Amino acid sequence: MTEELAPLILRLETQRTQALVAKDLATAERLHAPDYQLITPGGGSFDKAGYLQAVASGELNYLDWLIESPQLRLAPTMALIRYRATLEFASGTVRCWHTDAYEWRDGQWQAVWSQATAIK
C-alpha cells in the first residue's frame, strides 16, 4: 500500500499547493477537509473558510510554492508529508518547514492540518 500511497500524497500536495497559487478555489475546496486548519510561519491560524477567503481576496497571494525534499509517514487512513517550502509573495520570499496531515475521508484524501515554521 505505501508504495502506491507515497506518490499519490505527493501528487495531491502538489495539486493542493498549486491550486492555491493559481487561485483554483474549486480544487482547493476539494483537497481541504471541512475542519482544515493552517498554522502560519508567524504563529497565526486559519480555518478552511478563512484560508480560502484569504487566498481568493489576495490577502494571501502566493506567486509560487516550491516543494523540496519531501518526506512521508504513511498509514492506511492517515498520511504526513514534511518538506522545505519556498513560498513566493509580492512582498518577498518565505522559506519554511511545511508539514501537512492528510486523512482518508469519504473515499478521498484531504488535508486536515498544515503547520509552517519559518526557517531562520
Side-chain angles (χ1 to χ4, degrees), residues 17-76:
T17 58
Q18 293 310 298
L20 296 168
V21 171
K23 292 184 176 32
D24 176 355
L25 298 179
T27 298
E29 174 72 31
R30 179 176 51 81
L31 293 176
H32 292 85
D35 56 343
Y36 173 82
Q37 184 179 31
L38 163 68
I39 305 300
T40 69
S45 68
F46 284 99
D47 64 9
K48 178 182 179 175
Y51 186 44
L52 296 185
Q53 176 57 37
V55 170
S57 72
E59 176 187 344
L60 279 176
N61 189 18
Y62 297 107
L63 301 178
D64 201 3
W65 188 316
L66 301 175
I67 295 171
E68 182 183 336
S69 302
Q71 297 176 317
L72 292 101
R73 299 281 188 221
L74 305 168

Side-chain angles (χ1 to χ4, degrees), residues 19 32 40 42-43 55 62 80 84 88-89 97 100-101 113 115 119:
H32 292 85
T40 69
V55 170
Y62 297 107
L80 300 173
R84 286 183 302 277
E88 295 287 340
F89 298 94
W97 283 104
D100 291 293
W113 284 346
Q115 168 78 48
I119 297 173

Side-chain angles (χ1 to χ4, degrees), residues 98-114:
H98 197 84
T99 303
D100 291 293
Y102 281 80
E103 288 182 4
W104 179 255
R105 294 184 174 183
D106 300 323
Q108 65 180 344
W109 288 96
Q110 291 185 310
V112 292
W113 284 346
S114 294

